[in-house]
Amino acid sequence: MPRTAWSATDQAPQRDEEQRLRELGYQPVLARRMGGFGNFAISFSVISILSGCMTLYGFGLNTGGPAVMLWGWAGVGIFVLFVGLALAEVTSAYPTSGALYYMADRLGGRTWGWYTGWLNLLGLLGAIAAIDYGAALFTGALLNLQWGFDPTPGSTMVVFICILLLHAVLNLFGVRLVSVLNSISVWWHLAGVAVIVGALVIVPSHHRSPEFVFTEFVNDTGWSNPVYVAAIGLLLAQYTFSGYDASAHLSEETSNASVSAARGIVRAIWVSWIAGFVLLAGLTFAIQDYAGTQNSETGVPPAQILLDALGTGGATALLLLVIVAQLFCGNAEVAAASRMVFAFSRDNALPGSALWRRVSGRTQTPVLAVWLSVSVACLLALPSLYSATAYGAVTAINVIGITPAYAIPIFLKLRAGDRFVPGPWHLGRWSRPVGWVAVVWVAFVTVLFCLPQSAPVTVASMNYASIALAVVLVLATVWWFLARRSYGTPAAYGTSREQAEIAEGIV
């Protein structure tokens, strides 16, 4: 029986990653202090099943209910694994902090790289806002359970800003601390799922039947078509399965990155897939009052499940466990986004690029890029002070930016054919079929992200993802005409930019 390509790459020799980076055109300036486990851990932390699953669980209750949540998670996980495998292959060939946009630039040219970069950057910054604001919401639910505190938009914003500041400071200490925190995060998430599910299995005297958990369909969206509702319900899983490009963004700080970053992407997805299914099943079996959970006074349906099943004390303890996991997630996302800011600025793609690409001589960390990342995330969440639907818009900004950006380098790799030279981690003969499944899936879910999720469609219920996508593309186009003369990734080592593009068949 022939070995699969990705198992064969486990025997790939160690590479001189600093020399490889120079061959790609960049002088190493970041500290390469992250190991393979740390690289896997950052993507696993950003996916964060204890953040995504818990934050959007209420959405799942209304949009298809238990059946769509459980089977949707299983099905979406398979397709996301295809995307991860295809993206990992390209990451192995181009292990740089720029990640998706650098891959697109090399395989498709400057314009492809430019738009991929802006989509990726907006998605990463939107993710910081979505994750940390979600953590602030859960903190408000914890305060409500413990002290009867009624969180207002203003108090939630204060908590959100404090969380952003915490993550900025932690990221300023260098990648070694980030790596340690992410490694702790892996075990915290896995132990957290085990503790939550274990408590929900052992303590409550009443559980839902397997028939309810795996077949109950609930439609509280206002739409009458069950197929449409089920399709929209897939967004719980697809939103959670995002951010695994973090492994690629930390490539320049990872040992043996050509293999470790690729492995990190794939492992983060399949471990999250298994653990997330267990978490969703545990929560759903423990629902005591479906309508009460949907309309929880805490504002967070999973908190109501814990409260009904375990009492105030147990719910408070487990909610605290979830909040810490969300803090780990947000910290990892700040690390990934700041490296994207650094890399994009290194290629003169951002206003004020000379500032954002500066690296601390002491910690070898892009300090100003960290501060810019959290500042923009704060601005993205400010409308939540005035609109209850603004948080949904921030989530839309995250997913509509980052998800299409995953497919672009994969598509360009497929288009390049034999011109694409794979790295030591590759898919071999499975490269093209896996790649096409990934591209088609991303195209499908990008359309889903833009569809209205409840009826009737009003200003309050509108899905702002399509507007977010249009705004990003317009802004990127306007800035392209102002900055295109200065923007550009460096030529490969020993060649001019023009020679490199001719060799790649771009011009």
Side-chain angles (χ1 to χ4, degrees):
M1 179 181 292
R3 292 183 299 174
T4 58
W6 48 88
S7 64
T9 58
D10 288 348
Q11 308 302 319
Q14 293 280 327
R15 309 180 82 195
D16 184 346
E17 296 293 346
E18 303 288 48
Q19 179 58 28
R20 175 57 181 154
L21 190 59
R22 293 187 183 94
E23 291 171 357
L24 294 174
Y26 294 115
Q27 182 65 30
V29 294
L30 301 175
R32 203 174 286 275
R33 296 171 181 165
M34 181 175 283
F37 184 83
N39 187 277
F40 146 74
I42 191 166
S43 280
F44 181 78
S45 297
V46 172
I47 292 174
S48 184
I49 52 177
L50 286 176
S51 179
C53 290
M54 302 293 270
T55 302
L56 285 181
Y57 191 83
F59 172 84
L61 291 175
N62 296 325
T63 317
V68 173
M69 281 195 284
L70 271 296
W71 293 114
W73 182 272
V76 169
I78 293 174
F79 286 108
V80 171
L81 190 57
F82 275 87
V83 179
L85 286 166
L87 189 62
E89 183 177 45
V90 192
T91 297
S92 180
Y94 302 109
T96 72
S97 295
L100 307 180
Y101 90 85
Y102 181 87
M103 303 170 195
D105 184 284
R106 277 290 184 261
L107 293 168
R110 295 172 71 233
T111 305
W112 281 103
W114 176 268
Y115 282 99
T116 303
W118 277 100
L119 286 171
N120 190 199
L121 180 60
L122 184 83
L124 289 168
L125 295 174
I128 297 174
I131 293 163
D132 282 2
Y133 196 83
L137 290 171
F138 269 70
T139 301
L142 176 67
L143 296 174
N144 176 272
L145 283 178
Q146 191 65 31
W147 293 289
F149 175 75
D150 183 19
T152 64
S155 61
T156 301
M157 183 59 63
V158 171
V159 175
F160 168 66
I161 292 172
C162 291
I163 292 173
L164 285 176
L165 291 174
L166 171 65
H167 289 155
V169 171
L170 289 174
N171 271 271
L172 297 182
F173 283 98
V175 74
R176 189 181 297 278
L177 176 60
V178 172
S179 182
V180 169
L181 290 173
N182 288 330
S183 297
I184 296 171
S185 172
V186 171
W187 303 113
W188 186 276
H189 274 80
L190 294 177
V193 170
V195 170
I196 291 172
V197 173
L200 292 176
V201 168
I202 295 170
V203 177
S205 57
H206 169 73
H207 291 90
R208 296 284 180 164
S209 67
E211 181 181 6
F212 173 86
V213 172
F214 294 104
T215 66
E216 182 72 14
F217 182 84
V218 177
N219 177 13
D220 289 332
T221 64
W223 299 108
S224 59
N225 189 320
V227 176
Y228 182 89
V229 174
I232 296 299
L234 298 179
L235 297 184
L236 181 154
Q238 187 61 51
Y239 165 73
T240 305
F241 280 116
S242 64
Y244 43 86
D245 58 313
S247 288
H249 289 294
L250 273 291
S251 292
E252 293 182 33
E253 295 159 269
T254 301
S255 301
N256 195 27
S258 297
V259 174
S260 296
R263 287 178 179 168
I265 291 171
V266 177
R267 288 175 176 172
I269 292 171
W270 70 257
V271 173
S272 298
W273 182 29
I274 295 171
F277 187 86
V278 172
L279 176 62
L280 289 173
L283 285 169
T284 308
F285 270 109
I287 294 175
Q288 305 297 305
D289 178 358
Y290 200 95
T293 299
Q294 288 176 297
N295 303 300
S296 172
E297 290 184 4
T298 67
V300 178
Q304 192 64 46
I305 293 175
L306 299 177
L307 182 62
D308 292 342
L310 308 175
T312 303
T316 301
L318 295 188
L319 202 56
L320 181 61
L321 187 153
V322 172
I323 291 169
V324 173
Q326 292 174 330
L327 294 179
F328 278 127
C329 174
N331 190 64
E333 186 63 42
V334 170
S338 62
R339 270 50 175 191
M340 174 61 192
V341 170
F342 160 77
F344 219 25
S345 298
R346 183 171 57 182
D347 293 328
N348 295 309
L350 295 180
S353 288
L355 288 174
W356 317 126
R357 63 173 173 250
R358 290 181 182 176
V359 175
S360 167
R362 183 174 61 86
T363 63
Q364 293 181 273
T365 298
V367 172
L368 293 178
V370 170
W371 284 115
L372 179 64
S373 298
V374 297
S375 298
V376 174
C378 184
L379 291 175
L380 288 175
L382 279 180
S384 297
L385 283 170
Y386 312 103
S387 170
T389 62
Y391 180 65
V394 171
T395 300
I397 289 172
N398 170 18
V399 295
I400 202 64
I402 209 165
T403 305
Y406 289 154
I408 293 173
I410 299 171
F411 168 75
L412 293 174
K413 180 207 70 172
L414 293 168
R415 192 184 70 166
D418 292 339
R419 289 191 293 107
F420 171 71
V421 180
W425 196 103
H426 59 88
L427 301 175
R429 61 192 176 92
W430 294 102
S431 178
R432 292 188 69 80
V434 169
W436 280 117
V437 170
V439 169
V440 171
W441 174 252
V442 171
F444 170 68
V445 296
T446 300
V447 173
L448 285 189
F449 285 141
C450 296
L451 296 177
Q453 297 167 3
S454 60
V457 179
T458 64
V459 172
S461 65
M462 182 178 176
N463 181 356
Y464 290 92
S466 56
I467 295 176
L469 179 60
V471 169
V472 177
L473 294 177
V474 169
L475 291 177
T477 301
V478 171
W479 187 244
W480 168 254
F481 286 105
L482 296 175
R484 60 180 174 174
R485 294 187 183 279
S486 60
Y487 163 73
T489 59
Y493 183 77
T495 66
S496 70
R497 176 69 189 181
E498 183 179 2
Q499 289 171 326
E501 291 185 341
I502 291 172
E504 294 170 359
I506 295 168
V507 297

